[in-house]
Amino acid sequence: MDDPKNVQDPEQHAQAFLNSFCHDIESPLNVILTGTELLAEAGRRSPCCYTPQQEHAIQSIQDSAAVLGRMAENILDAYQCRVGNVAARRQALELVSHVSQLAELVRPCAARQGVAISFSANSETLVVMTDRVLADRVVLNLLSNAVYHGGARGHVWLDLQQGGEWCSLQVRDDGPGLPAGLAERLNGDAPFAPPATRGGGLGLYLCREFCKRLGWHMRLTTGADGTTAELRIPTDWMAAGDELRSAPVSALLEADDMRRMVLREFAQR
């Protein structure tokens, strides 16, 4: 008879399998990414050491490995959201400068697609309490969707507006709109279902679920003239002020994390 301590319920078994699956994928992908980065660095030091075809091949390998790593991460995150295992670790975040930094990091990636990124805010500073990693993943996913699937006329706008107990962050594009019915499903509480057309599926679902954990509200509006994702974010001034004074975030570590997330999210698909 099996020892009860060694018997996993189906949810535990599924989580263990997915953790192992993602680890088994990410380990060789990290080796590939490290190796291709060394090759790319050699090319930067000696500009004539590779042919254009070889440079393109190195970049393609890097991008493909990053895309596969993001897919594995999204699969695991989707499962964790389904079983309620995503927890937010809140810290103080100055949102105006942080979102501005994200826009600057994304701007070269968008330019390669012929898309211009614009950022505006009605305040010079705005401190909120949030999980920075989850918040960055939400904003970056919305930006990458807007750049790759929405910027048909070449523009994506980020607009941050302060107002009372909530602030609003909008990511707006001028593209052809989301697949039919997708916005309605995501604005409700429907479980994830792959759309009939490419793009705008799992990533937006994860944005919605991460927003729930953060205490944010996400709403999508879409049509033939573009799509707007609006994030309503609570502003807890007293708690945020105390947190900023007691445990400031390392700007250097924060910038490195942001760069890695941008490179992963905007790898060529």
XYZ file of all heavy atoms in Angstrom, residues 15-62:
372
model
N 1.500 20.565 -10.675
C 2.431 21.650 -10.404
C 3.869 21.148 -10.418
O 4.766 21.810 -10.968
C 2.121 22.299 -9.060
C 3.031 23.490 -8.757
C 2.559 24.288 -7.569
O 1.450 24.124 -7.095
N 3.422 25.166 -7.091
N 4.111 19.983 -9.814
C 5.464 19.418 -9.818
C 5.928 19.139 -11.244
O 7.087 19.395 -11.597
C 5.493 18.142 -8.982
N 5.006 18.618 -12.076
C 5.358 18.336 -13.469
C 5.709 19.613 -14.218
O 6.716 19.675 -14.939
C 4.196 17.623 -14.158
C 4.381 17.486 -15.655
C 5.226 16.508 -16.175
C 3.744 18.348 -16.528
C 5.413 16.391 -17.538
C 3.924 18.236 -17.895
C 4.765 17.257 -18.408
N 4.880 20.651 -14.060
C 5.132 21.898 -14.766
C 6.418 22.565 -14.291
O 7.179 23.115 -15.101
C 3.953 22.853 -14.591
C 2.717 22.532 -15.430
C 1.562 23.434 -15.033
C 3.010 22.695 -16.918
N 6.678 22.541 -12.975
C 7.930 23.095 -12.465
C 9.134 22.391 -13.074
O 10.107 23.028 -13.497
C 7.987 22.983 -10.942
C 7.122 24.021 -10.249
O 6.929 25.115 -10.759
N 6.610 23.681 -9.085
N 9.053 21.060 -13.120
C 10.146 20.278 -13.699
C 10.284 20.555 -15.187
O 11.391 20.719 -15.712
C 9.899 18.787 -13.456
O 10.892 17.999 -14.093
N 9.136 20.635 -15.889
C 9.132 20.894 -17.330
C 9.799 22.232 -17.636
O 10.674 22.335 -18.510
C 7.686 20.884 -17.822
C 7.496 21.371 -19.232
C 7.833 20.583 -20.313
C 6.968 22.641 -19.472
C 7.650 21.035 -21.616
C 6.783 23.097 -20.762
C 7.131 22.293 -21.842
N 9.388 23.283 -16.911
C 9.946 24.612 -17.165
C 11.426 24.662 -16.815
O 12.220 25.293 -17.533
C 9.178 25.666 -16.367
S 7.469 25.880 -16.948
N 11.816 24.010 -15.719
C 13.235 23.975 -15.357
C 14.043 23.249 -16.427
O 15.127 23.712 -16.821
C 13.413 23.284 -14.007
C 14.850 23.111 -13.616
N 15.618 24.152 -13.139
C 15.665 22.026 -13.661
C 16.846 23.705 -12.900
N 16.892 22.419 -13.197
N 13.513 22.119 -16.918
C 14.240 21.350 -17.936
C 14.383 22.121 -19.239
O 15.356 21.941 -19.975
C 13.515 20.024 -18.204
C 13.661 19.038 -17.054
O 14.499 19.289 -16.171
O 12.921 18.034 -17.038
N 13.421 22.994 -19.543
C 13.525 23.817 -20.749
C 14.486 24.983 -20.527
O 15.341 25.277 -21.362
C 12.139 24.351 -21.164
C 11.309 23.232 -21.788
C 12.276 25.510 -22.161
C 9.937 23.680 -22.237
N 14.354 25.649 -19.380
C 15.128 26.868 -19.169
C 16.617 26.590 -18.995
O 17.445 27.428 -19.379
C 14.589 27.630 -17.962
C 13.222 28.253 -18.226
C 12.916 29.395 -17.278
O 13.468 29.385 -16.159
O 12.159 30.294 -17.673
N 16.976 25.440 -18.452
C 18.403 25.151 -18.250
C 19.175 25.141 -19.570
O 20.168 25.871 -19.709
C 18.580 23.827 -17.503
O 18.083 23.944 -16.186
N 18.773 24.348 -20.582
C 19.508 24.420 -21.858
C 19.322 25.753 -22.579
O 20.235 26.210 -23.272
C 18.915 23.272 -22.678
C 17.594 22.977 -22.078
C 17.737 23.295 -20.622
N 18.164 26.397 -22.411
C 17.979 27.700 -23.050
C 18.951 28.735 -22.497
O 19.485 29.563 -23.247
C 16.546 28.187 -22.855
C 15.469 27.489 -23.682
C 14.099 28.070 -23.359
C 15.742 27.616 -25.167
N 19.214 28.677 -21.190
C 20.170 29.609 -20.602
C 21.578 29.368 -21.140
O 22.343 30.314 -21.345
C 20.159 29.490 -19.074
C 18.926 30.117 -18.463
O 18.342 31.035 -19.023
N 18.521 29.618 -17.308
N 21.922 28.096 -21.366
C 23.223 27.780 -21.960
C 23.311 28.362 -23.378
O 24.320 28.959 -23.767
C 23.460 26.256 -21.993
C 24.733 25.917 -22.765
C 23.546 25.704 -20.573
N 22.218 28.197 -24.153
C 22.186 28.735 -25.514
C 22.309 30.254 -25.490
O 23.085 30.851 -26.249
C 20.889 28.313 -26.229
C 20.871 26.795 -26.446
C 20.743 29.025 -27.573
C 19.533 26.261 -26.905
N 21.551 30.907 -24.604
C 21.594 32.365 -24.537
C 22.976 32.870 -24.130
O 23.485 33.850 -24.681
C 20.542 32.876 -23.548
C 19.095 32.797 -24.021
C 18.145 33.065 -22.863
C 18.845 33.785 -25.149
N 23.605 32.195 -23.158
C 24.944 32.602 -22.733
C 25.955 32.422 -23.864
O 26.785 33.304 -24.124
C 25.391 31.783 -21.504
O 24.458 31.991 -20.435
C 26.780 32.207 -21.039
N 25.868 31.277 -24.560
C 26.790 31.019 -25.660
C 26.637 32.008 -26.801
O 27.624 32.534 -27.328
N 25.397 32.294 -27.169
C 25.186 33.233 -28.275
C 25.549 34.661 -27.869
O 25.994 35.448 -28.707
C 23.730 33.192 -28.773
O 22.826 33.338 -27.665
C 23.447 31.880 -29.491
N 25.399 35.000 -26.576
C 25.818 36.326 -26.128
C 27.333 36.471 -26.221
O 27.849 37.529 -26.599
C 25.345 36.577 -24.696
C 25.723 37.945 -24.141
C 25.260 39.107 -25.007
O 24.174 39.028 -25.608
O 26.008 40.103 -25.081
N 28.060 35.395 -25.910
C 29.522 35.422 -26.061
C 29.906 35.602 -27.528
O 30.821 36.365 -27.862
C 30.136 34.138 -25.503
C 30.093 33.980 -23.976
C 30.575 32.586 -23.570
C 30.961 35.047 -23.309
N 29.197 34.898 -28.415
C 29.459 35.062 -29.844
C 29.136 36.481 -30.303
O 29.888 37.084 -31.081
C 28.635 34.051 -30.643
C 29.010 32.567 -30.484
C 27.997 31.685 -31.197
C 30.410 32.304 -31.020
N 28.016 37.013 -29.818
C 27.630 38.373 -30.200
C 28.632 39.389 -29.677
O 28.970 40.358 -30.370
C 26.229 38.681 -29.674
N 29.142 39.181 -28.457
C 30.136 40.092 -27.896
C 31.425 40.060 -28.705
O 32.051 41.101 -28.934
C 30.410 39.716 -26.436
C 31.441 40.584 -25.738
C 31.041 42.053 -25.681
O 29.831 42.340 -25.665
O 31.950 42.903 -25.661
N 31.811 38.859 -29.171
C 32.990 38.762 -30.036
C 32.783 39.550 -31.321
O 33.702 40.211 -31.823
C 33.290 37.297 -30.348
N 31.563 39.513 -31.858
C 31.258 40.286 -33.050
C 31.315 41.780 -32.810
O 31.726 42.547 -33.689
N 30.900 42.214 -31.596
C 30.962 43.646 -31.292
C 32.406 44.123 -31.135
O 32.731 45.255 -31.498
C 30.146 43.949 -30.023
C 28.640 43.848 -30.237
C 27.878 44.371 -29.034
N 27.933 43.463 -27.893
C 27.050 42.488 -27.672
N 26.059 42.298 -28.525
N 27.158 41.708 -26.615
N 33.258 43.244 -30.586
C 34.669 43.618 -30.428
C 35.400 43.615 -31.764
O 36.321 44.410 -31.977
C 35.362 42.656 -29.457
C 34.933 42.821 -27.999
C 35.927 42.152 -27.066
N 36.110 40.745 -27.409
C 35.444 39.743 -26.862
N 34.512 40.007 -25.956
N 35.672 38.497 -27.220
N 35.039 42.681 -32.646
C 35.681 42.584 -33.960
C 34.589 42.628 -35.021
O 34.077 41.576 -35.440
C 36.481 41.274 -34.068
O 37.440 41.181 -33.029
N 34.187 43.820 -35.461
C 33.006 43.977 -36.318
C 33.031 43.169 -37.610
O 31.981 42.916 -38.183
C 32.993 45.484 -36.605
C 33.742 46.096 -35.475
C 34.782 45.112 -35.091
N 34.196 42.769 -38.072
C 34.261 42.071 -39.363
C 34.439 40.561 -39.222
O 34.738 39.873 -40.212
C 35.402 42.642 -40.209
S 35.188 44.383 -40.627
N 34.290 40.027 -38.003
C 34.589 38.602 -37.832
C 33.456 37.693 -38.297
O 33.673 36.495 -38.494
C 34.961 38.293 -36.384
S 33.606 38.381 -35.210
N 32.247 38.229 -38.479
C 31.121 37.429 -38.952
C 30.576 38.009 -40.256
O 30.623 39.219 -40.483
C 29.978 37.403 -37.926
C 30.323 36.796 -36.596
C 30.033 37.487 -35.408
C 30.926 35.551 -36.506
C 30.341 36.937 -34.176
C 31.242 34.997 -35.273
C 30.958 35.697 -34.115
O 31.267 35.155 -32.899
N 30.025 37.131 -41.057
C 29.291 37.587 -42.230
C 27.910 38.079 -41.782
O 27.443 37.727 -40.680
C 29.115 36.459 -43.252
O 28.247 35.459 -42.677
C 30.455 35.840 -43.638
N 27.205 38.863 -42.586
C 25.845 39.281 -42.218
C 24.921 38.100 -41.945
O 24.080 38.157 -41.042
C 25.384 40.090 -43.436
C 26.644 40.623 -44.032
C 27.670 39.545 -43.817
N 25.098 37.011 -42.699
C 24.254 35.821 -42.486
C 24.540 35.201 -41.123
O 23.611 34.755 -40.418
C 24.503 34.793 -43.595
C 24.008 35.216 -44.964
C 25.023 36.082 -45.707
O 26.078 36.432 -45.163
N 24.698 36.422 -46.944
N 25.815 35.179 -40.711
C 26.161 34.628 -39.402
C 25.623 35.510 -38.273
O 25.119 35.002 -37.264
C 27.675 34.475 -39.289
C 28.248 33.360 -40.141
C 29.758 33.374 -40.201
O 30.390 34.435 -40.126
N 30.349 32.195 -40.336
N 25.711 36.830 -38.427
C 25.159 37.736 -37.423
C 23.650 37.542 -37.289
O 23.106 37.527 -36.171
C 25.468 39.190 -37.804
C 26.938 39.563 -37.677
C 27.192 40.998 -38.088
O 26.254 41.626 -38.640
O 28.309 41.484 -37.858
N 22.984 37.393 -38.423
C 21.532 37.163 -38.401
C 21.207 35.839 -37.710
O 20.239 35.759 -36.936
C 20.989 37.165 -39.821
C 19.514 36.892 -39.900
N 18.571 37.822 -39.513
C 18.830 35.778 -40.295
C 17.361 37.298 -39.667
N 17.491 36.071 -40.136
N 22.013 34.809 -37.964
C 21.770 33.501 -37.344
C 21.937 33.578 -35.827
O 21.131 33.005 -35.073
C 22.720 32.460 -37.932
N 22.968 34.293 -35.353
C 23.190 34.434 -33.915
C 22.010 35.150 -33.262
O 21.499 34.727 -32.218
C 24.504 35.196 -33.644
C 25.706 34.331 -34.047
C 24.620 35.581 -32.168
C 27.025 35.082 -34.043
N 21.560 36.245 -33.895
C 20.421 36.985 -33.346
C 19.158 36.140 -33.350
O 18.374 36.167 -32.387
C 20.196 38.268 -34.144
C 19.124 39.188 -33.565
C 19.490 39.697 -32.188
O 20.546 40.286 -32.013
N 18.630 39.456 -31.201
N 18.956 35.360 -34.394
C 17.766 34.502 -34.476
C 17.772 33.446 -33.381
O 16.726 33.140 -32.791
C 17.700 33.832 -35.852
O 17.509 34.792 -36.870
N 18.950 32.870 -33.095
C 19.052 31.867 -32.027
C 18.741 32.502 -30.682
O 17.988 31.944 -29.864
C 20.454 31.228 -32.021
C 20.666 30.404 -33.292
C 20.630 30.333 -30.791
C 22.101 29.953 -33.495
N 19.299 33.698 -30.434
C 19.016 34.390 -29.175
C 17.522 34.674 -29.024
O 16.937 34.423 -27.955
C 19.796 35.708 -29.117
C 21.273 35.553 -28.832
C 21.962 36.900 -28.753
O 21.904 37.682 -29.709
N 22.606 37.181 -27.649
